Amino acid sequence: MINSISILFVTRDPDLAGQIIGRIRYRGHAVRPKQAGNVRDLARLLQSHRFDALVLIDSNLDIGLAEVSEALHRAGRQTPVVLVSDHGQEQSLRAIDSGIFAVVGSRSDDLAAVMTLRAVDHLNKGREVTHLRTLLREADRRYLLMLDTSRYPIACFHQGIATYANESWRDFFEMDLGESLDQLTLNDLVVPEQQEDLQEILGELRNQSENVETCETLTVRTRQGRSFDADLLLTGAVINSEPSIVVHVSVAGEDPALQGPGGFAIPSAPDRGDLEQLGEAPGERDARQGPNADSRSDGRGSPAGTGAGPPAATRQDDAASEQELLRDTDAMQAEAARSGRSLGLLVFAPDALEPGQGARSEIPGNELQDLLQAQFPDPAGTYRLREGQLGVLLPGSARDELEERIGAALKSASGLNIRLGDGSGIGGTLSCGVVLADDSGPEAGELLEQARESLAEARNAGGNQYRFHALPGAAGADPKADQIWKSRIEQAVRDDRLRLLYQPIVSLQGEDVPRYNVFLRLTGEDGAVHEPQDFLPPAERTGTAAPLDRWVIQQAIKVLAGELKRDDRTVFFLKLSQGSLDGEPVVDWLRRALDRHKVPAANVVVEFREATLLTQPDSAAAVASGLGEMGVGLCIGDFGNGLEPFRILDQVDAAFIRLDGSFVNRLTQDQEAQGTVRELTETAKSRDRQVIMPMVEDADTLTAVFSMEVNLVQGYFVQPPSEQLDFDFASGL
């Protein structure tokens, strides 16, 4: 039960606000209301107070939804908004799409009260989840810290891959200091002839409840190939929210009764004499660790000392500093709950330091960190991060003040010669990504990623500038922004600043048919290249999507006509937007384009998004039927998110289904995603449909997809989108 809630009413109608307050009080809740009638008061109140809900009553008010959203964003708030309005259904839906919690009519004060209470409950539950996640991460951190300091060999495995190993483990199994844990699997622990026995033990353990343990004597082997009998104590646990297996090791026959972290028994680890019996001289461990093995952080997130150090040690220092930033962010979010002030998370990087350079230990030297500490003194904290980035965490941040300080930092860095870890230097222009949040925002890891995304935007825009994280979808739902995009699209068509890219769709079943997915890119007047996700949503909302579809198809068919002279089997996959289902029948103008360039209909596949088929089933089915009768192939894109996705095939007889990209993002780590993809492909195969897996970015994903009998794949690992149609389908993958 919520007892007392703080609500900001943005209105010039205090009577209606009073009625809503009365209804809330009638339901047993005290209300601490405040009122803003103009943009200045709204900004001031959001900067100084934390509200549980915001109620916007837009009658006779100069402040609109766009101004409220912008004020919330500038203040770093994610306060839920209830809109009280008499606008029609279309504007109400647009408001919901922009992130508004609820829209109710001005005569529905009782409903407004109910939705406000639900908004407050939603916010508080989100805060509670964030708090619990923070406590869980802190418990995990303390647990792993205890394991770190243990003299017993201990490691943790998730889905058979090591996620943690303490120094005693590395010493015991003769692992190099810089060796990555992701190369270590549970099967690596034992000799090949006992790996099947180990898998049986693990299978039994997975079926037991958490903290159940089992001890087995097996023949283990070190990374150098030595083998010997040892006792393995295996325990189920949840670490970093992932089900894991914790493994303790001792030489067989020793007393396993020592009590260790977490309350379970840890077998005795071998002493130095045991290691000498295994063939390791007393000095070998120190030689493997190297002179910098005991380097530590100075407590502010920056590695102690100014020397370059070896690459592995540098990466470990930066990873530890990044974890410290995340812990401090958690703490500042908790403080924001008490103070009501937002916190700022900033990520800086030199523009001349290309992404990936930081991975080779070419980390910016102390000059840059000193500069940032001077611009952001206490209580701000400065941290070294991976990839040559530096983070700044600032409590009690106001947007205007923060912008001034960031601008001063970028100006100060413009003449700085930044030394790298290898002794070389680079020019000193910086870019910065910023996110403002309070305790109602996402957890620390997501905030850091948002700041990094904003940093990438600043660098892509030319560098020497900063970007604040923008809430997703806000710009797309803004009518003014939509009209700007409409003008850009129309001007780009007139100026011939649209271009097509082609990405191969490659068979995993031995076919060598040349298939290409066709993509559209728009180049702005400033030369910036815009992705489809930037301009297609506003194109849909402003009625310019259908002309874009027509331009793409006409240009693509012209190119396809030339390709068919080289290989008459070539197939182009062309997307059709929701806007093309209205107005002049798409079937007619597609037929005319095919006839004009003498391209057989069978060499074209038209793709509908699953969402289009669900929201406009009759129109989509009619167009699909006409295309099918003409001989054009059909494909359903973003497939697999519905409750019964294959029911769509009753409306659209598509030979191809392209799975939603969200599946591949989780494919290598998420067993549920693997099961879903396997089920979808098996069902598609039983119905004689071909499955396309998009966004295949690495070899591990390709291997996983291949094992699931997916028919076709595309993605950057196969080949990035290109203006050239030069993929060798005969050689395949």
Side-chain angles (χ1 to χ4, degrees), residues 151 172 251 254 268-277:
R151 70 183 182 89
F172 193 101
V251 173
E254 293 192 352
S268 302
D271 59 20
R272 181 62 62 190
D274 294 323
L275 289 174
E276 289 179 305
Q277 292 178 12

Side-chain angles (χ1 to χ4, degrees), residues 97-157:
D97 285 340
S98 71
I100 293 299
F101 183 84
V103 180
V104 299
S106 62
R107 298 177 182 83
S108 305
D109 50 332
D110 203 33
L111 179 59
V114 171
M115 297 312 298
T116 301
L117 288 173
R118 290 195 176 185
V120 174
D121 187 53
H122 172 79
L123 179 69
N124 286 335
K125 280 184 168 57
R127 287 170 175 164
E128 183 178 343
V129 168
T130 298
H131 177 64
L132 291 174
R133 284 175 176 167
T134 300
L135 293 178
L136 180 60
R137 283 197 300 272
E138 181 62 19
D140 286 342
R141 185 186 71 83
R142 292 178 181 274
Y143 173 66
L144 293 176
L145 183 61
M146 287 190 293
L147 299 188
D148 256 334
T149 57
S150 174
R151 70 183 182 89
Y152 309 114
I154 305 172
C156 304
F157 296 80

Side-chain angles (χ1 to χ4, degrees), residues 213-282:
E213 60 186 41
T214 183
C215 187
E216 299 287 342
T217 300
L218 297 171
T219 303
V220 301
R221 57 180 178 180
T222 72
R223 303 298 276 177
Q224 305 301 322
R226 301 183 181 92
S227 60
F228 54 96
D229 289 343
D231 293 326
L232 272 64
L233 183 69
L234 299 97
T235 308
V238 175
I239 299 175
N240 291 330
S241 303
E242 300 286 0
S244 303
I245 300 293
V246 181
V247 181
H248 305 67
V249 180
S250 70
V251 173
E254 293 192 352
D255 181 11
L258 291 175
Q259 195 71 14
F264 42 76
I266 296 182
S268 302
D271 59 20
R272 181 62 62 190
D274 294 323
L275 289 174
E276 289 179 305
Q277 292 178 12
L278 295 175
E280 178 177 4

Side-chain angles (χ1 to χ4, degrees), residues 437-452:
D438 58 15
D439 66 311
S440 61
E443 58 182 329
E446 186 174 345
L447 289 176
L448 180 57
E449 288 307 308
Q450 289 175 353
R452 281 180 161 143

Side-chain angles (χ1 to χ4, degrees), residues 197-216:
D197 296 336
L198 177 60
Q199 289 303 316
E200 290 182 3
I201 296 168
L202 292 172
E204 294 175 0
L205 188 61
R206 292 189 188 100
N207 294 327
Q208 302 296 324
S209 60
E210 189 180 331
N211 292 332
V212 172
E213 60 186 41
T214 183
C215 187
E216 299 287 342

